[in-house]
Coordinates of all heavy atoms in Angstrom, one line a residue:
N1 N 8.9 -10.9 -6.4 CA 8.8 -11.9 -7.4 C 10.1 -12.4 -8.0 O 10.3 -12.6 -9.2 CB 7.9 -11.5 -8.6 CG 6.4 -11.6 -8.2 OD1 6.1 -11.6 -7.1 ND2 5.6 -11.5 -9.2
T2 N 11.1 -12.5 -7.1 CA 12.5 -12.8 -7.5 C 13.1 -13.9 -6.7 O 13.0 -13.9 -5.5 CB 13.3 -11.5 -7.5 OG1 12.7 -10.5 -8.3 CG2 14.7 -11.7 -8.0
V3 N 13.9 -14.7 -7.4 CA 14.7 -15.7 -6.7 C 16.1 -15.4 -7.1 O 16.4 -14.9 -8.2 CB 14.3 -17.2 -7.1 CG1 14.5 -17.4 -8.6 CG2 15.0 -18.2 -6.3
Y4 N 17.0 -15.7 -6.1 CA 18.4 -15.4 -6.3 C 19.3 -16.6 -6.1 O 18.9 -17.6 -5.5 CB 18.9 -14.4 -5.2 CG 18.1 -13.1 -5.2 CD1 16.9 -13.0 -4.4 CD2 18.4 -12.0 -6.0 CE1 16.2 -11.8 -4.4 CE2 17.7 -10.8 -6.0 CZ 16.6 -10.8 -5.2 OH 15.8 -9.6 -5.3
L5 N 20.5 -16.6 -6.7 CA 21.5 -17.6 -6.5 C 22.8 -16.9 -6.2 O 23.4 -16.3 -7.1 CB 21.6 -18.5 -7.7 CG 22.6 -19.7 -7.4 CD1 21.9 -20.7 -6.4 CD2 22.8 -20.5 -8.8
Q6 N 23.2 -16.9 -4.9 CA 24.5 -16.4 -4.5 C 25.5 -17.4 -4.7 O 25.4 -18.5 -4.1 CB 24.4 -15.9 -3.1 CG 25.7 -15.3 -2.5 CD 26.1 -14.1 -3.2 OE1 25.3 -13.2 -3.4 NE2 27.4 -13.9 -3.5
M7 N 26.5 -17.1 -5.5 CA 27.6 -18.1 -5.8 C 28.9 -17.6 -5.3 O 29.4 -16.5 -5.7 CB 27.6 -18.4 -7.3 CG 26.3 -18.8 -7.9 SD 26.4 -19.4 -9.6 CE 26.8 -17.8 -10.4
N8 N 29.5 -18.3 -4.4 CA 30.8 -17.9 -3.8 C 31.8 -19.0 -4.1 O 31.5 -20.1 -4.5 CB 30.7 -17.7 -2.3 CG 29.7 -16.7 -1.9 OD1 29.5 -15.7 -2.6 ND2 29.0 -16.8 -0.7
S9 N 33.1 -18.6 -3.9 CA 34.2 -19.5 -4.2 C 34.0 -20.2 -5.5 O 34.2 -21.5 -5.6 CB 34.2 -20.6 -3.1 OG 34.4 -20.0 -1.8
L10 N 33.8 -19.4 -6.6 CA 33.5 -20.0 -7.9 C 34.8 -20.7 -8.4 O 35.9 -20.3 -8.2 CB 33.0 -18.9 -8.8 CG 31.6 -18.5 -8.6 CD1 31.3 -17.2 -9.2 CD2 30.7 -19.6 -9.2
K11 N 34.5 -21.7 -9.2 CA 35.6 -22.5 -9.8 C 35.4 -22.5 -11.3 O 34.2 -22.3 -11.8 CB 35.5 -24.0 -9.3 CG 35.5 -24.1 -7.8 CD 35.2 -25.6 -7.4 CE 35.2 -25.8 -5.9 NZ 35.0 -27.2 -5.5
P12 N 36.4 -22.8 -12.1 CA 36.3 -22.8 -13.5 C 35.2 -23.8 -14.0 O 34.5 -23.6 -15.0 CB 37.7 -23.3 -14.0 CG 38.6 -22.7 -13.0 CD 37.8 -22.8 -11.7
E13 N 35.0 -24.9 -13.2 CA 34.0 -25.9 -13.6 C 32.6 -25.4 -13.4 O 31.6 -26.1 -13.7 CB 34.3 -27.2 -12.9 CG 34.5 -27.1 -11.4 CD 35.9 -27.1 -11.0 OE1 36.7 -26.4 -11.6 OE2 36.3 -27.8 -10.0
D14 N 32.4 -24.3 -12.8 CA 31.1 -23.7 -12.6 C 30.7 -22.9 -13.9 O 29.5 -22.5 -14.0 CB 31.1 -22.7 -11.4 CG 31.2 -23.4 -10.1 OD1 30.7 -24.5 -9.9 OD2 32.0 -22.9 -9.2
T15 N 31.6 -22.8 -14.8 CA 31.3 -22.1 -16.1 C 30.1 -22.8 -16.8 O 30.2 -24.0 -17.1 CB 32.5 -22.1 -17.0 OG1 33.5 -21.3 -16.4 CG2 32.1 -21.5 -18.3
A16 N 29.0 -22.1 -17.1 CA 27.9 -22.6 -17.7 C 26.8 -21.5 -17.9 O 27.0 -20.4 -17.5 CB 27.2 -23.7 -16.8
V17 N 25.8 -21.9 -18.7 CA 24.6 -21.0 -18.7 C 23.7 -21.5 -17.6 O 23.3 -22.6 -17.5 CB 23.9 -21.2 -20.1 CG1 22.6 -20.4 -20.1 CG2 24.8 -20.7 -21.2
Y18 N 23.3 -20.5 -16.8 CA 22.5 -20.8 -15.6 C 21.1 -20.3 -15.9 O 20.8 -19.2 -16.4 CB 23.0 -20.0 -14.4 CG 24.2 -20.7 -13.8 CD1 25.5 -20.6 -14.5 CD2 24.2 -21.4 -12.6 CE1 26.6 -21.2 -13.9 CE2 25.3 -22.0 -12.1 CZ 26.5 -21.9 -12.7 OH 27.6 -22.5 -12.2
S19 N 20.1 -21.2 -15.7 CA 18.7 -20.9 -16.0 C 17.9 -21.2 -14.7 O 18.1 -22.1 -14.0 CB 18.2 -21.8 -17.1 OG 18.9 -21.7 -18.3
C20 N 16.9 -20.3 -14.6 CA 15.9 -20.6 -13.5 C 14.7 -21.2 -14.1 O 14.4 -21.1 -15.3 CB 15.5 -19.3 -12.7 SG 14.7 -18.1 -13.7
A21 N 14.0 -21.9 -13.2 CA 12.8 -22.7 -13.7 C 11.7 -22.6 -12.6 O 12.1 -22.4 -11.4 CB 13.1 -24.1 -14.1
T22 N 10.5 -22.9 -12.9 CA 9.4 -22.8 -11.9 C 8.3 -23.7 -12.3 O 8.1 -24.1 -13.4 CB 8.9 -21.4 -11.8 OG1 8.0 -21.3 -10.7 CG2 8.2 -20.9 -13.0
R23 N 7.6 -24.1 -11.2 CA 6.3 -24.8 -11.4 C 5.4 -24.3 -10.2 O 5.9 -24.0 -9.1 CB 6.4 -26.3 -11.4 CG 6.8 -26.9 -10.1 CD 6.6 -28.4 -10.2 NE 5.2 -28.8 -10.1 CZ 4.8 -30.1 -10.3 NH1 5.7 -31.0 -10.7 NH2 3.6 -30.4 -10.1
Q24 N 4.1 -24.2 -10.5 CA 3.2 -23.7 -9.5 C 2.8 -24.9 -8.7 O 2.4 -26.0 -9.2 CB 2.0 -23.0 -10.1 CG 1.2 -22.3 -9.1 CD 0.2 -21.4 -9.9 OE1 -0.3 -21.7 -10.9 NE2 -0.1 -20.2 -9.3
I25 N 2.7 -24.7 -7.3 CA 2.3 -25.8 -6.4 C 1.6 -25.2 -5.2 O 2.2 -24.8 -4.2 CB 3.6 -26.6 -6.0 CG1 3.2 -27.8 -5.1 CG2 4.6 -25.8 -5.3 CD1 2.5 -28.9 -5.9
R26 N 0.3 -25.0 -5.4 CA -0.5 -24.3 -4.4 C -0.6 -25.0 -3.0 O -0.7 -24.3 -2.0 CB -1.9 -24.0 -4.9 CG -1.9 -23.0 -6.1 CD -3.3 -22.6 -6.4 NE -3.3 -21.6 -7.5 CZ -3.4 -21.8 -8.8 NH1 -3.5 -23.1 -9.2 NH2 -3.5 -20.9 -9.6
T27 N -0.7 -26.3 -3.0 CA -1.0 -27.0 -1.8 C 0.1 -27.6 -1.0 O -0.1 -28.2 0.0 CB -2.0 -28.2 -2.2 OG1 -1.3 -29.0 -3.1 CG2 -3.3 -27.6 -2.8
Q28 N 1.3 -27.4 -1.5 CA 2.5 -28.0 -0.9 C 3.6 -27.0 -0.7 O 4.5 -26.9 -1.5 CB 3.0 -29.2 -1.6 CG 2.0 -30.3 -1.8 CD 2.6 -31.5 -2.7 OE1 3.7 -31.9 -2.5 NE2 1.8 -31.9 -3.6

């Protein structure tokens, strides 16, 4: 039940609060 975000070659402009989000979609 986990999603990941692998971030490489990070830059100063990547500085932020990172949030995950979801919606349920059974048929697609």
Side-chain angles (χ1 to χ4, degrees):
N1 281 20
T2 301
V3 63
Y4 304 92
L5 185 68
Q6 177 67 42
M7 305 187 294
N8 299 328
S9 302
L10 283 162
K11 305 174 182 179
E13 51 263 44
D14 294 319
T15 295
V17 174
Y18 285 72
S19 301
C20 64
T22 187
R23 67 171 284 169
Q24 193 169 33
I25 183 76
R26 291 190 176 91
T27 60
Q28 300 177 47

